Amino acid sequence: MTMQKADLNKDVLESARTEKPSLGIVIPALNAGEHFPDILKRLIEAECLFDLDVVVVDGGSSDETVYHAQKTRARVLETAPDTAAQIAAGLDIVFGDWIMVLDDRTDLRAGWSTVIRAFVDQKGAERFAGFGRLVTKEGEKLMRDRGLLARMRNQFSHLPLGHQGFVLHRNLLNKIGGVRALGGLERMEITGKVGQRYMIPLPFHAINEAEDLPGINWTGRLSRVASWMLFYLLMLPPTAVADWTK
């Protein structure tokens, strides 16, 4: 499955005149910070292409995360602070045939909804899952070098990071058994169940503030990525990996 860029906007706008597909966005949040209002506002562009439902699952924020979510008319669910459990709780109540899971500090560049609409409109898209391109930001400058490990991991395993956004059809999500708490390895399990060949990198930018991403400890990060890749290639179940890495 490939994305055709030629006449992309024209084709998407033409298809938008017909019945809109539905998209539910789940955001597990905890003290999302000062950029959160802008992140939420960026999601509103999808309303012209989708029947949109945004659910923010807050894990007990002490800042204005809940206030900003309510101000942008997102639905808010408050739970204990556990990312996988927050995602699962959000998936239980969000509306939409298509589902996006988005980190609370990931800002989608304008035009993201056009890319997602083009993806979901393709024949057979229900069998695939998509994710965006990780880009970091320092001030007003976009930087790609700090996304090197993410791109390497995407290229060889198609395992997306939480900061990249994640899109799939609800039927596919139900087929693979939803999202389980596996100590940060949830997407590894999803990828294994969906199948690597059905994981599609999509041409939209998922932008993260540099200070919101872990600092680069190259030895530690390379070791961790290499370990996860080895487990993945050996086809060990993520439950076993999660237990081993606790």
Side-chain angles (χ1 to χ4, degrees):
M1 182 178 185
T2 58
M3 298 294 297
Q4 300 295 329
K5 294 185 179 180
D7 298 323
L8 178 62
N9 292 338
K10 179 180 178 181
D11 292 343
V12 170
L13 290 175
E14 182 66 28
S15 64
R17 296 172 185 170
T18 61
E19 182 180 356
K20 292 180 182 179
S22 52
L23 175 66
I25 302 178
V26 175
I27 306 175
L30 181 63
N31 296 324
E34 60 180 325
H35 300 292
F36 195 49
D38 293 330
I39 290 171
L40 292 170
K41 290 176 183 176
R42 209 86 64 207
L43 302 180
I44 302 303
E45 75 166 58
E47 288 185 336
C48 65
L49 297 175
F50 293 93
D51 287 330
L52 184 67
D53 183 32
V54 179
V55 173
V56 175
V57 187
D58 186 70
S61 296
S62 58
D63 64 2
E64 297 185 327
T65 295
V66 171
Y67 167 75
H68 291 307
Q70 293 172 335
K71 189 175 180 180
T72 55
R73 296 175 303 186
R75 294 194 290 146
V76 177
L77 177 65
E78 299 185 57
T79 70
D82 180 295
T83 301
Q86 288 172 249
I87 293 173
L91 292 173
D92 283 341
I93 69 169
V94 73
F95 299 112
D97 293 329
W98 287 90
I99 304 296
M100 170 179 273
V101 178
L102 189 67
D103 189 86
D104 64 354
R105 297 172 187 269
T106 298
D107 190 4
L108 301 180
R109 175 176 274 186
W112 69 270
S113 60
T114 302
V115 174
I116 300 297
R117 180 62 191 267
F119 168 61
V120 307
D121 281 346
Q122 294 198 50
K123 185 177 180 180
E126 296 84 358
R127 296 179 296 143
F128 295 81
F131 54 91
R133 298 173 178 171
L134 179 66
V135 178
T136 58
K137 181 179 180 181
E138 290 188 356
E140 296 302 317
K141 184 178 180 181
L142 295 181
M143 307 179 68
R144 295 175 182 270
D145 58 321
R146 297 190 70 176
L148 176 61
L149 290 181
R151 292 198 301 276
M152 289 171 59
R153 190 170 84 158
N154 291 165
Q155 180 178 355
F156 292 106
S157 71
H158 285 199
L159 284 170
L161 294 169
H163 301 286
Q164 293 178 255
F166 194 74
V167 185
L168 75 169
H169 196 274
R170 185 181 292 275
N171 289 343
L172 179 58
L173 181 66
N174 292 337
K175 181 179 178 181
I176 65 177
V179 177
R180 296 189 297 167
L182 294 173
L185 301 181
E186 296 81 14
R187 289 171 181 81
M188 179 178 172
E189 182 184 48
I190 290 173
T191 300
K193 289 184 176 181
V194 171
Q196 181 178 354
R197 60 180 293 196
Y198 295 103
M199 298 292 297
I200 306 296
L202 300 175
F204 69 87
H205 285 168
I207 304 172
N208 294 265
E209 293 290 334
E211 64 268 23
D212 292 335
L213 297 178
I216 297 182
N217 177 337
W218 287 105
T219 301
R221 292 184 68 184
L222 282 171
S223 176
R224 187 180 185 191
V225 169
S227 297
W228 284 15
M229 287 288 294
L230 179 60
F231 287 133
Y232 178 78
L233 294 173
L234 291 175
M235 294 183 290
L236 294 178
T239 48
V241 181
D243 290 339
W244 187 83
T245 56
K246 283 182 180 179

